[in-house]
Structures are given as structure tokens and as C-alpha cells.
Amino acid sequence: MSETARQHGPQTHAPVLAATNITRRFGGLVAINNVSFEVRPGEILGLIGPNGAGKTTMFDLLAGSILPTSGEIRLNGALVSGEAAHLRIGRGLGRTFQIPRPLPNLTLIENVMLAAQGQSGERLLANFLTPWRVAAEEKVAAKKAADLLELVSLTRLAHEPARVLSGGQRKLLELARVMMADPAIILLDEPAAGVNATLLEVIIDRVRDINRSGITFLLIEHNIDMVTRLCHRVLVMASGELLCEGTADEVARDPRVIEAYLGGAA
């Protein structure tokens, strides 16, 4: 485990997010089989495994995009197994995607502002009955969005349409968008995929900065160097099951992990 990970590891064992005996079936296919783990406050937990291991399905289950066939998911102690994704966002769970899809014709700051929660302007009547409140909230949201774009080093592009961004810049924009909703935990889906080395360093630094501010991460990533540098603990999945967990160094030496990656696990 890296020096940064040791210095900024979690300070408590009470879970922010907990999966208990999670199973998900698609017809006769068991995509996730009886998986249990916890994400502790303040940590960056890595989730790795070969292609087809079930990592993205697990993210979909945690985020509420799909529901488990059996088992429980708890977010800050609340049972959310049957809740839709938008309700989990309201409880403090944010998620990014491997391929970000910002609204291309909106500016970066507009894209970020769209993620603001609980805005009066979302209700039609409020725009007519309390326009001053709507305007005040929008001003606060614009300031917060600008601060987040500065955090992810995109200030100079704040008023440019999102379509001008590179793949790495889109991932930084998505990180700002998810931060706009004030998450307690962020599910970060392959932030290194398709990103050049320079922007990858920026992403790593920003994840560290955000983690130091108290936000927890669960990270899917194939870039083992990034996992080693960032993650306090690592979970390894293969064939829909949890294979092992430990530090990056520990799981890299585990014979089961070597077999899963080199032995053709699906």
C-alpha cells in the first residue's frame, strides 16, 4: 500500500456502504453469487477482477440501477436494497461511469449545476411564486459549480460546451458533477480507462484531495498502478464471487488472484 494510502486511511470501521449476501440472477445466469463486503468511512476501496467478473453488475446493484435477487444493501445504516437510484443519490451515494456522457451542447458549468439537489426551481410553481428564492439558489449553485470546476482543473473551460472535452477531461467533469450532489460515497467506475498519462495524474490527485475532505470511494479499475497508489484495501472478484481482499500487495501475491487473471476466469 502506498504512503499516501497509509497516511489518509479510514479512521473508523463503521460502514458507509454494506453489501450482505448479495445475489443477482438474470434468468438462469448467476451474475453475482452471495457477495458480502463493507466500505468504511474515509477509505478508498478498490474492486478489481478480470473481465466478466461481475464488477459492473455489482456497481449497478449498489447504485440502484438494478435490484438484487436476494441479500441486503445498506447505505449509512439505512436498508436501500429495494430503492431506486435517485433515492440513493439523495442518501449520499454518487456514481461516475466508465464512459461519461455530459450534455454536449451545455457548458461545463451548466452540466455541473444540473446535478444540484433540492432546487426550488425544479418545481414549476416556485418559479412564479418565489422567483427570488429560485434566483438565490441558482446563484449559490453557480458559485459551487465554479468551485468544483476549479477543483478538477477545468476552470478555463467553464463556459465552453462539453463537446469540446477530451475523454480525460470528461471524466474530470463527471467527478465535479457527482460532487455537486454532496455525496458521502462515490462509486468511481474505471477513471483511468482511455485517459492519457498527464490527465491520469490529475485524476489521481483530485481523488486524493476529495478523499482527504472526508468523502469515501469505491473504485473499479483495471490500472493496477492506480489501484496500488490510491486504495487502502482491495477486493477481488471472479466469476461473480468475492475471491479475496487485502492490501494491493497482498492480493497481488494471492494464488487465487493469479489464477483468476492468468487462468482464464470469466
Side-chain angles (χ1 to χ4, degrees), residues 31-230:
I32 301 293
N33 185 26
N34 198 37
V35 171
S36 299
F37 62 89
E38 296 180 344
V39 190
R40 303 163 188 161
E43 78 173 331
I44 304 175
L45 177 63
L47 178 59
I48 68 171
N51 291 331
K55 304 182 297 298
T56 298
T57 301
M58 179 55 69
F59 257 33
D60 288 341
L61 289 163
L62 296 172
S65 302
I66 58 175
L67 301 181
T69 304
S70 61
E72 291 187 349
I73 298 170
R74 291 185 179 271
L75 179 59
N76 289 317
L79 183 63
V80 299
S81 310
E83 285 190 352
H86 72 277
L87 296 176
R88 299 188 200 189
I89 293 171
R91 292 185 183 273
L93 186 146
R95 180 188 181 176
T96 69
F97 292 86
Q98 180 183 351
I99 302 175
R101 293 183 177 88
L103 295 173
N105 294 323
L106 293 186
T107 66
L108 272 62
I109 198 164
E110 289 169 339
N111 267 278
V112 176
M113 288 177 66
L114 283 175
Q117 300 293 297
Q119 298 291 292
S120 298
E122 295 172 359
R123 300 185 296 275
L124 181 62
L125 282 178
N127 291 278
F128 296 99
L129 299 178
T130 56
W132 60 89
R133 179 181 299 168
V134 173
E137 290 178 355
E138 187 170 330
K139 183 177 180 180
V140 171
K143 174 63 166 63
K144 181 178 178 180
D147 290 344
L148 289 170
L149 287 174
E150 182 176 6
L151 173 66
V152 298
S153 305
L154 291 175
T155 297
R156 66 182 181 85
L157 298 171
H159 299 287
E160 295 294 325
R163 64 175 179 271
V164 307
L165 299 181
S166 69
Q169 289 171 328
R170 289 184 179 215
K171 297 205 171 188
L172 288 166
L173 175 62
E174 189 163 69
L175 192 55
R177 288 174 68 182
V178 77
M179 287 289 293
M180 191 72 182
D182 296 318
I185 179 169
I186 297 174
L187 309 183
L188 199 59
D189 193 351
E190 296 203 35
V195 177
N196 68 47
T198 300
L199 273 178
L200 181 57
E201 290 302 316
V202 175
I203 291 171
I204 289 172
D205 287 344
R206 296 309 170 263
V207 171
R208 282 178 177 151
D209 291 341
I210 293 167
N211 179 244
R212 289 187 187 110
S213 75
I215 294 176
T216 303
F217 284 89
L218 176 58
L219 165 73
I220 288 179
E221 186 50 65
H222 286 287
N223 185 319
I224 300 302
D225 178 63
M226 183 179 190
V227 170
T228 301
R229 292 169 62 185
L230 279 178

